[in-house]
């Protein structure tokens, strides 16, 4: 499981930062990519990565400001031209379906795949045996949501090599062993199944928030997350401006991470007015409150490992 940050800028594209888009790469887990927001130029950023558009299974939109959705029509069209025929689901606030359908209709674009829209409300928006995705409203002056992605726990793997080394043949007995049962073999040996099953791994939790002021829902969505992705549009001295524009400061993001007990805080949605030295300063501001903080650049990849049990 990896996050790749296709666009980390705020508002408008800049030479060094494109506007918002994040890819959650689940290639080992389900041979798929989930996209969070799709600002203008996202498909150009994808060309710089190893992401194949046909692997994009779901797109989650946090809110309908242009820097988060203007890349959608182009990406959907190109996915069709590039031979993608796998169905695609788009989740987002009310209005996302109208926006996309209008753009496709006016441009007379026909897609080669099934496109489904799920206009979201607070609560569970997707769930299967592997993942559950929930959302809650944030505080941005427009309907804006944060997403919490929870992976199911991984049961311990059967250690087949150890069984083979003891000349224990495969068959129905392997199922008993994997369940951790004690098993008596045909030659009289008794083995404890628990000795042949690897450690159980807790599922990972990723929280990706849309633009927002600091709000209790941010903390709730991020509780005990392995990674929290939070906007950082303003520095700590611009708290009044952040409030006026419905955004957060670097230190407000860090406070959310601290209160939610997350493992790592990733800051994004960085204003183009911040240059290299300013970026270091923003990161250090957040680290004063939450040391495990990182400001990401475009195309940067962050791996999400399992927690040590």
């Amino acid at each position: 499981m990896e996050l790749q940050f296709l666009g980390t800028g705020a508002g408008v594209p800049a030479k060094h930062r494109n506007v918002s888009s994040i890819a959650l790469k689940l290639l080992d887990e389900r041979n798929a990519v989930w996209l969070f927001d799709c600002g203008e130029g996202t498909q150009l950023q994808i060309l710089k990565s190893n992401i194949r558009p046909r692997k994009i299974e779901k797109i989650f939109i946090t809110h309908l400001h242009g820097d988060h959705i203007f890349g959608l029509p182009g990406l959907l069209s190109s996915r069709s031209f590039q031979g993608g025929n796998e169905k695609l689901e788009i989740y987002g606030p009310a209005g996302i379906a109208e926006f996309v359908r209008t753009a496709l209709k006016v441009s007379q674009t026909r897609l080669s795949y099934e496109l489904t829209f799920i206009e979201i409300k607070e609560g569970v928006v997707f769930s299967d045996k592997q993942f559950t995705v929930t959302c809650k409203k944030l505080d941005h002056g427009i309907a804006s949501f944060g997403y919490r992605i929870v992976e199911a726990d991984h049961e311990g793997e059967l250690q087949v090599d150890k069984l083979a080394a003891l000349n224990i043949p495969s068959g129905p007995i392997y199922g008993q062993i994997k369940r951790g049962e004690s098993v008596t073999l045909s030659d009289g040996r008794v083995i404890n199944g628990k000795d042949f099953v690897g450690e159980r791994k807790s599922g990972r939790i990723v929280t990706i928030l849309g633009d927002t002021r600091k709000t209790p829902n941010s903390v709730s969505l991020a509780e005990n997350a392995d990674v929290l992705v939070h906007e950082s549009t303003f520095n700590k001295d611009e708290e009044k401006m952040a409030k006026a524009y419905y955004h957060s400061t670097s230190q407000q993001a860090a406070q959310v991470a601290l209160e939610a007990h997350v493992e790592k805080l990733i800051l994004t949605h960085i204003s183009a007015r911040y240059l290299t030295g300013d970026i270091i300063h923003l990161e250090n501001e957040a680290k004063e409150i939450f040391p495990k903080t990182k400001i990401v650049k475009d195309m940067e990849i962050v791996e999400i490992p399992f927690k040590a049990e």
Side-chain angles (χ1 to χ4, degrees), residues 253-301:
Q255 288 163 1
V256 170
L258 184 66
E259 292 172 29
H261 309 289
V262 307
E263 287 291 316
K264 180 183 289 186
L265 170 63
I266 303 295
L267 297 181
T268 186
H269 204 263
I270 308 301
S271 172
R273 69 185 185 279
Y274 294 131
L275 303 177
T276 303
D278 302 314
I279 299 299
I280 295 170
H281 185 62
L282 274 177
E283 187 174 88
N284 288 336
E285 283 180 354
K287 284 182 175 179
E288 291 173 11
I289 294 172
F290 191 79
K292 293 182 180 179
T293 298
K294 179 179 179 60
I295 290 182
V296 285
K297 300 175 289 190
D298 280 16
M299 308 311 299
E300 194 161 350
I301 294 174

Side-chain angles (χ1 to χ4, degrees), residues 1 55 58 73 93 105 128 130 171 181 186 193 224:
M1 186 188 289
K55 295 288 188 183
K58 302 178 188 297
K105 180 180 178 180
D128 67 6
Q130 282 185 303
E181 299 172 9
S186 58
N224 298 318

Side-chain angles (χ1 to χ4, degrees), residues 12-30:
V12 296
K15 288 182 178 180
H16 54 293
R17 290 185 188 273
N18 199 50
V19 286
S20 295
S21 187
I22 302 166
L24 177 60
K25 299 164 81 171
L26 303 170
L27 298 175
D28 288 341
E29 291 76 14
R30 58 195 296 136

Side-chain angles (χ1 to χ4, degrees), residues 111-270:
L111 304 181
S112 61
Y113 53 88
E114 178 185 349
L115 184 61
T116 303
F117 295 93
I118 299 94
E119 295 199 332
I120 60 175
K121 297 179 180 178
E122 287 192 316
V124 175
V125 297
F126 170 76
S127 185
D128 67 6
K129 292 181 179 179
Q130 282 185 303
F131 292 95
T132 298
V133 182
T134 57
C135 73
K136 287 188 177 183
K137 286 184 178 178
L138 303 176
D139 184 9
H140 190 49
I142 184 177
S144 183
F145 289 84
Y147 293 97
R148 176 181 174 91
I149 305 98
V150 179
E151 181 186 29
D153 292 343
H154 289 239
E155 298 301 325
E157 293 184 2
L158 185 65
Q159 297 176 337
V160 176
D161 291 346
K162 287 177 66 174
L163 293 171
L166 294 176
N167 296 316
I168 301 173
S170 61
I173 194 173
Y174 273 27
Q176 295 174 267
I177 296 170
K178 185 168 173 54
R179 291 192 293 271
E181 299 172 9
S182 290
V183 176
T184 301
L185 304 177
S186 58
D187 60 8
R189 286 181 294 166
V190 178
I191 65 169
N192 184 349
K194 293 178 181 178
D195 294 336
F196 297 90
V197 178
E199 290 186 7
R200 182 173 177 271
K201 296 178 181 178
S202 297
R204 292 158 287 186
I205 301 172
V206 179
T207 299
I208 299 174
L209 303 183
D211 295 358
T212 186
R213 293 169 172 168
K214 186 174 184 291
T215 173
N217 277 356
S218 297
V219 178
S220 175
L221 285 166
E223 185 176 359
N224 298 318
D226 294 271
V227 174
L228 165 61
V229 180
H230 199 298
E231 67 135 290
S232 181
T233 312
F234 293 94
N235 67 41
K236 70 176 183 179
D237 298 322
E238 297 172 323
E239 192 169 333
K240 288 184 179 179
M241 193 179 299
K243 184 176 181 180
Y245 287 96
Y246 291 89
H247 282 290
S248 296
T249 68
S250 56
Q251 290 203 335
Q252 287 171 336
Q255 288 163 1
V256 170
L258 184 66
E259 292 172 29
H261 309 289
V262 307
E263 287 291 316
K264 180 183 289 186
L265 170 63
I266 303 295
L267 297 181
T268 186
H269 204 263
I270 308 301

Side-chain angles (χ1 to χ4, degrees), residues 23-67:
L24 177 60
K25 299 164 81 171
L26 303 170
L27 298 175
D28 288 341
E29 291 76 14
R30 58 195 296 136
N31 194 29
V33 175
W34 292 359
L35 207 61
F36 289 79
D37 288 333
C38 188
E40 177 185 352
T42 293
Q43 65 172 317
L44 292 174
Q45 299 293 84
I46 287 174
L47 288 174
K48 301 175 188 175
S49 74
N50 64 359
I51 296 170
R52 296 181 181 179
R54 64 182 178 83
K55 295 288 188 183
I56 299 173
E57 177 186 63
K58 302 178 188 297
I59 300 176
F60 296 87
I61 300 298
T62 61
H63 64 290
L64 301 186
H65 279 155
D67 58 325

